[in-house]
Amino acid sequence: MLKIRTVCGNGIGSSLMAANHVKNLCQELGIKADIASIDFANAVGEKADLYITIKDLANQFPDQSKVAVIRSYINKKQIAEDVTEKLQQLAQH
């Protein structure tokens, strides 16, 4: 099971909406995942298989972190376009 965290500044608004879209996407793709939203400060200290966030926050993660950059926290279609390939790659390993 993949551990995925959607990340925004506070972890309670934008990233929560993104988490719901990613949960639905994983179900559609048949990928088992533990998905939750989290604020950036706590995300850096929590190990996850994939962090999903916007470009400005993605650039602040340590180099070894796997980060998927999304263009929007709320646009379901754009989130699917931005993360589907990465989710499928991680699920295969």
Side-chain angles (χ1 to χ4, degrees), residues 73-92:
Y73 284 112
I74 59 173
N75 187 310
K76 182 179 178 179
K77 183 179 177 187
Q78 286 182 342
I79 291 172
E81 290 172 356
D82 294 340
V83 302
T84 296
E85 184 176 329
K86 191 160 274 191
L87 289 172
Q88 290 174 327
Q89 289 174 349
L90 287 171
Q92 291 176 353

Side-chain angles (χ1 to χ4, degrees), residues 4-8 18 22 25 48-59 61-62 65-73 78-90:
I4 299 169
R5 295 295 177 256
T6 57
V7 182
C8 70
V22 173
L25 179 61
D49 296 305
L50 181 65
Y51 301 96
I52 298 174
T53 190
I54 58 172
K55 185 177 180 181
D56 289 344
L57 292 177
N59 293 337
F61 276 88
S65 301
K66 292 184 179 177
V67 181
V69 176
I70 54 176
R71 293 170 282 168
S72 167
Y73 284 112
Q78 286 182 342
I79 291 172
E81 290 172 356
D82 294 340
V83 302
T84 296
E85 184 176 329
K86 191 160 274 191
L87 289 172
Q88 290 174 327
Q89 289 174 349
L90 287 171

Side-chain angles (χ1 to χ4, degrees), residues 7-71:
V7 182
C8 70
N10 294 321
I12 55 173
S14 303
S15 60
L16 183 59
M17 288 186 278
N20 288 331
H21 291 313
V22 173
K23 284 178 187 175
N24 292 335
L25 179 61
C26 284
Q27 288 176 348
E28 292 172 14
L29 297 171
I31 296 172
K32 293 182 180 180
D34 167 24
I35 303 164
S37 63
I38 190 168
D39 65 287
F40 179 76
N42 286 311
V44 175
E46 182 174 333
K47 290 191 174 196
D49 296 305
L50 181 65
Y51 301 96
I52 298 174
T53 190
I54 58 172
K55 185 177 180 181
D56 289 344
L57 292 177
N59 293 337
Q60 298 178 46
F61 276 88
D63 290 341
Q64 68 274 15
S65 301
K66 292 184 179 177
V67 181
V69 176
I70 54 176
R71 293 170 282 168

